[in-house]
Amino acid sequence: MIAFVSGTVAALAPDVAVVEVGGVGMAVQCTPNTLSTLRVGQAARLATSLVVREDSLTLYGFADDDERQTFVLLQTASGVGPRLAQAMLAVHTPDALRRAVATADEKALTAVPGIGKKGAQKLLLELKDRLGAPVGAAVSASPVTAGWRDQLHAALIGLGYAAREAEEAVAAVTPQAEAAEGTPQVGALLRVALQTLNRAR
């Protein structure tokens, strides 16, 4: 298993970072939150999890070991594959997920695209004894909830857009973010923001 990759960030896309390791470009699937911390040309170290399928090898990257471990544990629940596990981590921090499971917070789980009410109830039952207790301070809002504008702006800058373009794109998706129930989905907003920028160019 590839536990981590460390090297220079060669390229960034909406859901992938390419990290150059020993002359080889490793494509690593990342959440928008993780991507927003990376910059092309700068050194990065990502904790990783290699998912092996019959027809593919996919490397998933995380900001730290706690996030990677949570990603692995989430997949022990039936019906949760790597894509859904990553979507859960795109919306919530590992501690926010542990808190949601510990307090049986269905609403927090249904904020994740692809998880409905029944799915959330099932996940709460299956993950109850697997994720463990929250380790951080008890805060009601995850960093994504508190600062989706900053997250989105940083992600766009990381993808090579100018600060002015990033600000305009954030302004363009603000009505959609404010109209959404619960936590704004940074990943979904990033896709809409990129479409807005592509139309403007």
Side-chain angles (χ1 to χ4, degrees), residues 106-107 109-111 114-124:
E106 277 180 35
K107 196 173 178 183
L109 293 186
T110 56
I115 298 180
K117 187 176 174 66
K118 283 187 178 177
Q121 291 170 345
K122 190 176 167 191
L123 284 170
L124 288 172

Side-chain angles (χ1 to χ4, degrees), residues 37-111:
T37 66
L38 306 176
R39 298 291 178 269
V40 173
Q42 293 186 8
R45 183 186 189 278
L46 295 170
T48 56
S49 177
L50 181 64
V51 176
V52 180
R53 295 283 185 263
E54 282 184 15
D55 57 349
S56 66
L57 295 172
T58 307
L59 200 58
Y60 289 85
F62 309 94
D64 55 39
D65 291 334
D66 183 31
E67 202 171 77
R68 179 189 56 201
Q69 184 62 20
T70 304
F71 172 79
V72 172
L73 288 172
L74 288 171
Q75 291 176 75
T76 63
S78 58
V80 179
R83 291 272 179 200
L84 185 55
Q86 192 179 47
M88 292 169 80
L89 286 165
V91 175
H92 298 294
T93 62
D95 229 31
L97 283 171
R98 285 190 283 263
R99 195 158 42 249
V101 171
T103 60
D105 186 352
E106 277 180 35
K107 196 173 178 183
L109 293 186
T110 56

Side-chain angles (χ1 to χ4, degrees), residues 127-143:
L127 294 171
K128 190 175 181 183
D129 301 317
R130 299 181 194 179
L131 288 187
V135 293
V139 288
S140 58
S142 73

